Amino acid sequence: TDWQKSAGDFACVGGCERKRLPASEFSKKQVEKALESLKTLPERDIRTGPDIKSTLFLNAVCKKCMEEREAKERAEAEAKRGERQQAAEEAEANMGPPERVSATLAERPFGMTPAKA
């Protein structure tokens, strides 16, 4: 059988909910994460032997769903950035020119030198 075309033991949990996908549909990081999660299963079958057949089905987020998620996050971030920039421009327009405030001190603060007149 051709392992690239044959049904695999992975299922996508990222949105498309496709099942029996080969590992090539997932990023290396997602595959490693899914395989690592198998080691922490509390109720896994630990029996071994020639008569015992075990099948593992792994859940991960496929490349297609990951790309869609990243594109959606980028679009949301761009929209938020635009909103913040527009709000900042509106606030600057409403502020008007800055006011000059003069302050007089009874004594010169430590470390300050007199201004040249």
Side-chain angles (χ1 to χ4, degrees), residues 67-93:
E67 289 172 1
E68 289 173 1
R69 181 185 295 175
E70 289 173 354
K72 182 180 175 186
E73 288 174 356
R74 277 193 298 273
E76 289 174 356
E78 186 64 36
K80 283 183 181 179
R81 189 177 305 117
E83 290 173 7
R84 284 194 305 264
Q85 186 175 7
Q86 184 179 4
E89 289 172 357
E90 289 174 3
E92 287 177 4

Side-chain angles (χ1 to χ4, degrees), residues 11-116:
C12 178
V13 292
C16 68
E17 304 295 328
R18 296 183 297 162
K19 302 203 181 310
R20 297 190 47 93
L21 298 171
S24 62
E25 289 286 323
F26 298 86
S27 68
K28 182 178 179 182
K29 187 173 183 179
Q30 285 289 322
V31 172
E32 289 172 355
K33 187 176 173 183
L35 291 173
E36 188 65 33
S37 70
L38 287 178
K39 295 178 184 176
T40 60
L41 285 176
E43 298 176 8
R44 71 174 177 207
D45 188 4
I46 57 172
R47 299 176 293 168
T48 58
D51 298 335
I52 298 172
K53 181 180 178 186
S54 63
T55 305
L56 299 173
F57 292 99
L58 306 171
N59 295 322
V61 181
C62 71
K63 289 179 185 177
K64 181 178 132 187
C65 290
M66 187 64 74
E67 289 172 1
E68 289 173 1
R69 181 185 295 175
E70 289 173 354
K72 182 180 175 186
E73 288 174 356
R74 277 193 298 273
E76 289 174 356
E78 186 64 36
K80 283 183 181 179
R81 189 177 305 117
E83 290 173 7
R84 284 194 305 264
Q85 186 175 7
Q86 184 179 4
E89 289 172 357
E90 289 174 3
E92 287 177 4
N94 294 337
M95 288 176 65
E99 296 179 21
R100 179 168 274 224
V101 178
S102 62
T104 56
L105 303 173
E107 294 181 12
R108 186 179 315 136
F110 179 77
M112 288 191 70
T113 59
K116 297 181 181 178

